[in-house]
């Protein structure tokens, strides 16, 4: 990847079908109890709410990871692999995070090592940009603990003649056509982004 480029580029010579299924990288994520706590603070957990203490205090009998912490080890694998894809000159600075899908199979350990393996699920041509679908399987030892699919939109990389849709993309469930069961309004704090960055 050339970070000086003004936009991302998919080479017209690249065989996009040959990229599907390509393994990007395997990454080991080592962490202590601090990373799940920092993550919980970064997404809005607060000691003011007694129900949140199990995510924030390692001494709690119920201490555990938020289920969505499963995206963190997967991200490390994904970001290491994307710049090395042949034929794709992707500028990560011009990459809005499109969609995120997570399946959790087992409770995440509150500390230890997780190994994430990332592969290319598909590459789509959206005209104004390219969408890269990446599947990441995360293991604790030999046990599969979670699966992520990242949808990454690269501005300016479209127009290479690829397909616009993919059967590999995880489809979200449409909400029911009725009033919501409950409505909750909340306000983010000014320092949440700093907490979130620290957990990486």
């Amino acid at each position: 990847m050339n970070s000086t480029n003004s936009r991302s580029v998919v080479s017209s010579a690249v065989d996009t079908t040959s990229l599907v299924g390509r393994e990007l990288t395997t990454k080991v994520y080592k962490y202590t109890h601090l990373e799940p706590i920092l993550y919980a603070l970064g997404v809005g957990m607060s000691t003011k709410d007694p129900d949140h203490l199990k995510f924030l205090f390692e001494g709690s009998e119920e201490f555990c990871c938020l289920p969505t912490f499963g995206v963190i080890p997967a991200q490390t694998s994904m970001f290491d692999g994307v710049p090395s894809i042949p034929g794709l000159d992707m500028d990560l600075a011009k990459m809005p995070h499109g969609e995120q899908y997570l399946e959790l199979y087992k409770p995440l350990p509150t500390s230890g090592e997780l190994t994430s393996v990332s592969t290319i699920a598909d590459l789509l041509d959206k005209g104004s940009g390219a969408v890269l679908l990446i599947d990441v399987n995360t293991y604790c030892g030999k046990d599969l603990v979670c699966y992520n699919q990242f949808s990454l939109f690269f501005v300016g990389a479209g127009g290479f003649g690829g397909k616009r849709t993919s059967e590999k993309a995880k489809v979200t469930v449409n909400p029911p056509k009725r009033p919501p069961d409950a409505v909750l309004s909340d306000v983010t704090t000014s320092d949440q982004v700093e907490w979130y960055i620290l957990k990486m």
Side-chain angles (χ1 to χ4, degrees):
M1 182 185 71
N2 184 354
S3 59
T4 61
N5 280 353
S6 60
R7 67 188 184 95
S8 299
V9 175
V10 177
S11 170
S12 58
V14 69
D15 179 8
T16 56
T17 59
S18 69
L19 296 177
V20 176
R22 177 190 290 267
E23 183 175 317
L24 294 179
T25 187
T26 297
K27 183 80 172 181
V28 176
Y29 179 74
K30 299 180 180 180
Y31 63 106
T32 69
H33 65 278
L34 294 177
E35 281 78 8
I37 291 174
L38 289 170
Y39 173 81
L41 289 168
V43 297
M45 298 294 102
S46 171
T47 55
K48 295 179 181 179
D49 190 330
D51 291 337
H52 294 179
L53 289 180
K54 63 182 178 182
F55 304 118
L56 300 173
F57 177 46
E58 70 275 17
S60 169
E61 292 183 357
E62 298 179 302
F63 181 55
C64 60
C65 295
L66 277 168
T68 50
F69 182 71
V71 305
I72 302 304
Q75 281 180 345
T76 61
S77 171
M78 175 193 67
F79 285 128
D80 277 2
V82 168
S84 64
I85 302 173
L88 277 65
D89 188 6
M90 298 303 196
D91 185 354
L92 295 181
K94 296 183 179 297
M95 184 206 72
H97 189 163
E99 296 181 356
Q100 177 73 49
Y101 178 89
L102 170 66
E103 290 181 4
L104 191 66
Y105 306 122
K106 295 183 177 182
L108 296 164
T110 54
S111 63
E113 295 184 5
L114 296 174
T115 301
S116 295
V117 181
S118 58
T119 58
I120 299 175
D122 220 335
L123 179 64
L124 307 178
D125 188 344
K126 295 295 186 178
S128 62
V131 171
L132 186 63
L133 298 177
I134 298 180
D135 289 337
V136 184
N137 288 302
T138 299
Y139 300 85
C140 181
K142 294 183 178 180
D143 294 332
L144 180 63
V145 292
C146 65
Y147 159 79
N148 281 267
Q149 184 175 90
F150 295 87
S151 176
L152 309 178
F153 186 85
F154 289 92
V155 177
F160 56 90
K163 59 185 179 179
R164 291 187 59 86
T165 61
S166 172
E167 69 281 358
K168 303 287 183 63
K170 295 297 182 180
V171 180
T172 56
V173 177
N174 292 324
K177 296 181 178 180
R178 57 176 173 77
D181 298 322
V183 177
L184 175 66
S185 297
D186 202 359
V187 178
T188 58
T189 63
S190 59
D191 54 0
Q192 271 184 238
V193 65
E194 284 78 13
W195 287 120
Y196 191 85
I197 292 172
L198 285 172
K199 72 20 185 125
M200 295 296 286

